[in-house]
Amino acid sequence: MNTLVWKVDKYVDNLENNPHVVDAANLLRENEVVALPTETVYGLGGNAENDEAVAKIFAAKGRPVDNPLIIHIADKEQLSRFVDEVPLVAKKLMDAFWPGPLTIIFKRKAGVLSELATAGLETVAVRMPDHPVALALLKKCGLPIAAPSANSSGKPSPTNAGHVIDDLNGKIAGVLDGGATGVGVESTVVDCTEPVPVILRPGGVTKEELEAVVGEVRVDAALTNEGAKPKAPGMKYRHYAPNAPLFMVSGTTAFLQSLIEEKQREGLRVGVLTTEENVGAYHADLVLVCGKRAALETVATALYETLRQFNKGNVDIIYSEIFPNTGVGYAIMNRLQKAAGNKLITE
Ligand code: TXA
Ligand code: MG
């Protein structure tokens, strides 16, 4: 299959009638799959009400079929097609954070969405992305769109159209190239089927921001205790991994530099993931700056691009600094832990 790349300027008006958006919307209606930019990462969209379309998403990504997809909508009214009851706490969260990087889990109405998209669960994950191209496409096609991140399963999520092409060229109908995404980590997934909302995946909206709107918010036990079974099926998989083994390092820059030198003495090529503040402290084969420690949202924005760059740098081992577990740092650390398979070296 020839994968088309459609460049679309997200700042122009009337995107719904942009010829590339119209082409992509038509392909979605014909149950083809197309990649689209969102404010978090690129998604691979398909008609959520059609098994054939959803099967194409799983096939292109090589995604395990027990891992359900997030359904994307452009309009709150679309919810009533496949959700009967919107709990008050969910209403408050939707008013505060939609459109935006928050996915809400609802009880699902039977018989509307593809069972493949929801992996047979009685619940459904829904979000309204905050990106003009995504919203225009969703409005134009008028369908609820199932869209996981548009990477090959296991790879870092794509934060620009080039990443999508690197992973999925020839496997999907096209990609709407709306430039680099902003947030950089995926949406926060919150289960609102229980009286107190539970974070199943940390992401672009922080726990602190959620609490400011609805009061108490819990965190799925699997996020703090490796032995517990995650409620979001996708959270059990290793993810975001660069080709070389990645180790998180807790300690001083001098300690990290000593680890680098030890491996270099063994003849290995060593990569380091650091920040603007600390870049001067390291001498390694590939030192990559991932944002600014003083502004963690810049680290989130750059994280996946940085992890992907290590693959082009031909390194044998990667050491990464760690980040505080607060604000968006919580999502950054969750992704780094997955990329590292939880390997942590402490001074
Ligand atoms: O920012 C995002 O959320 C991006 C963009 C494209 O919207 N999408 C994304 O989708 O990250 P994906 O498929 O890579 O991750 C979806 C996560 C998985 O961990 C999945 O298991 C979980 O959401 N999930 C989906 N439906 C669920 C459900 N009914 N109950 C619990 N977890 C669910
Ligand atoms: Mg993903």
Side-chain angles (χ1 to χ4, degrees), residues 6 26 82 84 120 145 149 202 249 265 307 312:
W6 303 287
N26 285 335
F82 51 90
D84 274 326
I145 293 297
S149 49
V249 179
R265 279 194 297 272
L307 290 174
K312 299 201 168 136

Side-chain angles (χ1 to χ4, degrees), residues 199-202 219-226 228 235 330 334 337:
I199 296 178
L200 307 187
R201 175 178 75 176
V219 169
D220 187 26
L223 290 172
T224 40
N225 165 7
E226 262 181 67
M235 295 298 281
Y330 190 29
N334 171 266
Q337 282 155 358

Side-chain angles (χ1 to χ4, degrees), residues 8-10 15 21 36-37 131-138 176-178:
V8 177
D9 178 355
K10 69 177 177 181
L15 277 171
V21 172
L36 60 140
H131 192 290
V133 175
L135 288 171
L137 178 66
L138 291 168
L176 279 169
D177 179 355

Side-chain angles (χ1 to χ4, degrees), residues 13 40 126 147 191 234 332:
D13 291 336
T40 57
V126 189
D191 185 352
I332 294 167

Side-chain angles (χ1 to χ4, degrees), residues 280-298:
Y282 303 118
H283 300 279
D285 297 283
L286 181 62
V287 180
L288 295 180
V289 172
C290 182
K292 223 197 249 171
R293 190 162 276 283
L296 285 178
E297 60 287 353
T298 63

